[in-house]
Amino acid sequence: MASSSGLCSSFQSLKPKLSFLIEKDPISYRNHTKLFAKSATPHIPPPFSVQSVAREVPADISSSSPSSNNFPTMQKKGLEKGPRALWGRYVDWLYQHKELGLYLDVSRIGFTDQFVMEMEPRFLDSLKSMEELEKGAIANPDERRMVGHYWLRNSKLAPNSFLTSQIENTLLAVSKFADDVISGKIRTPSGGHYTQILSVGIGGSALGPEFVAEALAPDNPPLKIRFIDNTDPAGIDHQIAQLGPELASTLVIVISKSGGTPETRNGLLEVQKAFREAGLEFSKQGVAVTQENSLLDNTARIEGWLARFPMFDWVGGRTSEMSAVGLLPAALQGIDIKEMLAGASLMDEATRNTALRNNPAVLLALCWYWASDGVGSKDMVVLPYKDSLLLFSRYLQQLVMESLGKEFDLNGKKVNQGLTVYGNKGSTDQHAYIQQLREGVHNFFVTFIEVLRDRPPGHDWELEPGVTCGDYLFGMLQGTRSALYANNRESITVTVQEVTPRSVGALIALYERAVGLYASLININAYHQPGVEAGKKAAAEVLALQKRVLAVLNEASCKEPVEPLTIEQVADRCHCPEDIEMIYKIIAHIVTLASCMHKVAADFWR
Ligand SMILES: O=P(O)(O)OC[C@H]1O[C@](O)(CO)[C@@H](O)[C@@H]1O
């Protein structure tokens, strides 16, 4: 096979050099081009230096009429096609963060120089708002809250010393607890090492930890992690069954900012039941991450759980990965959380840059605005070409959609804003829905996430002469990017050297800032979620109605003989005839579950 050939070894020794070239070349080329451009075109100084590169802008191929009143006035042009012009655009706009080894290529989004110039003052305003937010302004007016997730990776930025020490103490406590568990200083009630984590939480209290575990946990972590992130009884049973006897060496981390989310409470009650049935004492293995004095916090304190870590009022669920919510599970899996924080902090610095084309979060938000007309008219398909980043799109789905999907803007005007996010991973998705992306309805733009390092050094081999498995992955990404572009489908490419705690921290920080900037551009509150409350309220009403239905059915079933009822009669006896459809669904649900209701069910369905 090729792996043992001379070609293979020479090829492998060539590869690091190639990646070095890839790393360095485009930017130095850009600098070179800039010098050229300077002599031909007057250089417009930062913030945005709009460069004239040779462009072949064909006749309007995919023009659309933006529906937002705020959208700059010019018409969208078709995408540039000529390879030389595209290369020029690539070089001209490529963003590189050297220390992070991160690139952002926006060349396949067709924004024009005029668009950039028209957007510039608005971006400067948005950056100003972000600056205020970081200084502790009430950035979430509805909930009268500060928004401080940026302080988590640079505690000195917090607006007062009390918050700074809260952040630092929590980080110390998380690190110490994780070290003690891993080293065996903290042991299971029977004196052994902890081997498993069962994380119970939902939404922002699950998605970050899930993404980070998938991306960064080593193959043999000190503690393996499992998640209960739903109120699906079978799903919960499955997780507990998979733990089996290891339940005795499982650390259960219950995560909930509010401490009152029903799904999380249910997960906790189910796990506590499993502990009782196994003859284990839950409190000795339970850890809570929640706001001080929440229901969960009080329960954990009264029951004397193993540990409690704070969640802060000024950190939102979907931006909580760098708080104890994300750091505790990560540290317990042996992930370097200081590196995650360092990556995020470097990215925070980069995304404060007011030289707009050198600010990657500005570039992302600019692309989103352009591609979706500032009103979410196109969906964002996120395609990491790396298995370990599979959950990035799912993580971003909450970050972006819960933040931007709002009915009203900050002035109370109905806007129905948002930006839809979906995606799994490449090249897998090429064998699923990319057919439609290439040829079907044109309602999206793509974000490719590229990882330069295929494998740890020394593990590569050639499947065919000169070609590795990773070369295929690379080819699939580049091929899809080109094929989509050839059909006027726009894309962004974010490139990292490898998937490390640092690069993952940076990616999270990049998107957090881009969402904040974009929200400010479209004048919405990115930090509340009133729509979710409506669903929760409706669910509570269904559960209340279920109790009334059960009472009516119980009464009927206690009669001798059992009193058969029509659905209309049940609705009448519940005093809510207008809810007949919901009552039908409730009965259909409970008759399949409750064995005590079998008799009634039989009569009911007669
Ligand atoms: O951490 P908590 O309070 O349990 O909330 C979980 C999730 O529920 C929501 O409040 C609504 O879905 C999210 O914003 C949040 O991340």
Side-chain angles (χ1 to χ4, degrees):
M1 282 293 287
S3 61
S4 58
S5 71
L7 177 66
C8 172
S9 56
S10 63
F11 175 71
Q12 280 176 352
S13 64
L14 185 64
K15 277 216 141 181
K17 289 180 198 147
L18 284 173
S19 75
F20 176 79
L21 279 176
I22 293 165
E23 186 187 339
K24 304 290 176 196
D25 258 1
I27 294 295
S28 55
Y29 186 94
R30 178 166 85 193
N31 294 338
H32 189 62
T33 314
K34 269 183 181 166
L35 291 178
F36 263 114
K38 242 184 188 172
S39 56
T41 319
H43 181 70
I44 300 167
F48 262 122
S49 59
V50 180
Q51 303 249 335
S52 291
V53 288
R55 297 205 172 164
E56 295 166 22
V57 183
D60 194 0
I61 301 166
S62 63
S63 66
S64 61
S65 35
S67 46
S68 159
N69 288 339
N70 286 331
F71 200 88
T73 44
M74 81 293 151
Q75 280 287 300
K76 281 189 167 184
K77 295 282 181 200
L79 303 176
E80 299 185 36
K81 288 285 185 215
R84 295 294 303 179
L86 280 174
W87 166 241
R89 187 171 170 82
Y90 174 77
V91 167
D92 194 22
W93 280 99
L94 186 68
Y95 169 84
Q96 179 187 20
H97 194 300
K98 282 202 171 136
E99 202 174 340
L100 286 168
L102 180 143
Y103 307 83
L104 175 61
D105 161 27
V106 295
S107 64
R108 266 51 171 186
I109 299 282
F111 57 80
T112 59
D113 293 350
Q114 188 195 343
F115 173 77
V116 171
M117 278 190 288
E118 290 192 37
M119 292 299 286
E120 181 183 340
R122 293 175 60 187
F123 268 104
L124 291 174
D125 283 351
S126 297
L127 283 166
K128 193 89 202 120
S129 310
M130 294 300 286
E131 199 184 318
E132 297 299 317
L133 174 149
E134 287 199 87
K135 282 186 189 150
I138 299 294
N140 180 353
D142 293 21
E143 297 170 8
R144 303 285 317 147
R145 278 201 298 113
M146 296 189 289
V147 173
H149 48 275
Y150 299 106
W151 313 328
L152 296 169
R153 43 265 190 163
N154 185 351
S155 57
K156 301 285 180 285
L157 284 178
N160 61 58
S161 56
F162 174 71
L163 295 182
T164 301
S165 57
Q166 256 192 335
I167 296 164
E168 290 172 358
N169 292 341
T170 305
L171 182 57
L172 280 177
V174 163
S175 303
K176 183 168 178 342
F177 181 80
D179 287 349
D180 288 351
V181 168
I182 292 170
S183 69
K185 199 166 163 191
I186 295 178
R187 288 180 176 262
T188 66
S190 60
H193 270 73
Y194 279 102
T195 59
Q196 299 276 347
I197 306 161
L198 184 56
S199 175
V200 184
I202 198 166
S205 293
L207 290 162
E210 285 169 338
F211 162 50
V212 166
E214 187 78 18
L216 296 173
D219 288 342
N220 290 303
L223 282 86
K224 293 199 177 97
I225 195 162
R226 301 188 154 274
F227 293 93
I228 290 177
D229 63 357
N230 198 359
T231 184
D232 172 13
I236 295 170
D237 290 348
H238 175 67
Q239 294 303 331
I240 292 169
Q242 291 280 309
L243 286 168
E246 278 190 273
L247 194 63
S249 60
T250 297
L251 201 61
V252 183
I253 309 181
V254 186
I255 308 176
S256 173
K257 178 181 175 182
S258 61
T261 302
E263 291 94 329
T264 305
R265 184 208 68 146
N266 296 355
L268 167 61
L269 295 178
E270 293 275 359
V271 174
Q272 285 180 321
K273 174 171 169 282
F275 267 73
R276 278 195 303 277
E277 286 170 359
L280 300 166
E281 207 177 327
F282 176 83
S283 61
K284 299 222 157 78
Q285 296 174 229
V287 176
V289 181
T290 185
Q291 284 189 110
E292 217 180 327
N293 290 325
S294 72
L295 189 58
L296 172 60
D297 189 43
N298 291 335
T299 306
R301 187 170 33 77
I302 291 163
E303 292 180 1
W305 291 17
L306 178 61
R308 292 180 291 136
F309 294 93
M311 176 64 178
F312 309 117
D313 164 60
W314 38 266
V315 176
R318 54 190 170 273
T319 52
S320 65
E321 180 49 31
M322 309 279 166
S323 72
V325 169
L327 297 182
L328 179 65
L332 286 163
Q333 292 168 85
I335 296 166
D336 189 339
I337 57 173
K338 296 218 166 75
E339 274 292 288
M340 274 175 69
L341 292 167
S345 176
L346 282 170
M347 183 51 77
D348 287 341
E349 260 171 66
T351 53
R352 288 184 195 109
N353 198 337
T354 52
L356 301 184
R357 67 184 300 145
N358 293 325
N359 181 326
V362 166
L363 292 175
L364 273 186
L366 181 86
C367 291
W368 298 355
Y369 201 100
W370 169 268
S372 75
D373 302 326
V375 292
S377 63
K378 289 215 165 76
D379 303 343
M380 172 157 61
V381 182
V382 179
L383 279 177
Y385 275 63
K386 186 56 66 184
D387 285 1
S388 64
L389 296 181
L390 171 71
L391 298 183
F392 191 44
S393 40
R394 207 166 151 222
Y395 169 78
L396 288 182
Q397 199 167 54
Q398 187 204 20
L399 177 64
V400 175
M401 295 178 74
E402 204 168 61
S403 301
L404 302 180
K406 300 293 155 69
E407 186 170 14
F408 298 102
D409 71 8
L410 283 164
N411 303 328
K413 187 175 149 214
K414 192 163 176 161
V415 287
N416 294 112
Q417 267 288 0
L419 190 55
T420 304
V421 179
Y422 65 92
N424 297 297
K425 64 174 179 175
S427 67
T428 314
D429 289 1
Q430 285 178 227
H431 300 272
Y433 59 82
I434 287 180
Q435 161 64 29
Q436 176 172 319
L437 299 193
R438 174 66 168 67
E439 296 181 351
V441 56
H442 187 177
N443 60 353
F444 68 92
F445 63 100
V446 173
T447 303
F448 294 104
I449 312 285
E450 181 188 30
V451 179
L452 293 179
R453 172 158 288 162
D454 293 335
R455 269 191 169 135
H459 288 76
D460 237 344
W461 67 286
E462 294 173 11
L463 310 162
E464 301 156 18
V467 182
T468 67
C469 196
D471 293 337
Y472 270 93
L473 191 67
F474 166 78
M476 295 293 176
L477 188 161
Q478 297 304 331
T480 303
R481 174 176 173 269
S482 300
L484 288 177
Y485 195 76
N487 231 11
N488 298 314
R489 272 62 174 161
E490 293 174 298
S491 67
I492 298 165
T493 303
V494 180
T495 302
V496 292
Q497 295 283 348
E498 54 187 317
V499 180
T500 60
R502 187 172 275 240
S503 63
V504 166
L507 282 174
I508 290 172
L510 172 62
Y511 277 85
E512 282 177 351
R513 183 82 58 161
V515 166
L517 284 168
Y518 188 86
S520 169
L521 281 182
I522 62 173
N523 192 36
I524 56 118
N525 179 354
Y527 308 104
H528 67 170
Q529 50 285 329
V532 182
E533 298 312 314
K536 284 185 191 167
K537 205 167 147 237
E541 281 164 15
V542 172
L543 288 169
L545 184 57
Q546 179 176 312
K547 283 184 186 159
R548 280 150 72 191
V549 171
L550 272 174
V552 168
L553 294 182
N554 264 331
E555 201 184 319
S557 72
C558 287
K559 291 189 178 158
E560 208 44 72
V562 167
E563 184 188 7
L565 295 173
T566 66
I567 193 157
E568 283 85 2
Q569 286 169 320
V570 177
D572 282 344
R573 289 187 193 186
C574 287
H575 306 293
C576 37
E578 70 285 2
D579 286 332
I580 188 157
E581 184 182 328
M582 187 56 74
I583 288 170
Y584 165 77
K585 285 173 183 285
I586 287 170
I587 292 171
H589 166 65
I590 56 184
V591 292
T592 55
L593 294 178
S595 54
C596 64
M597 298 304 295
H598 277 167
K599 210 160 154 239
V600 176
D603 290 332
F604 177 77
W605 292 113
R606 213 168 37 199

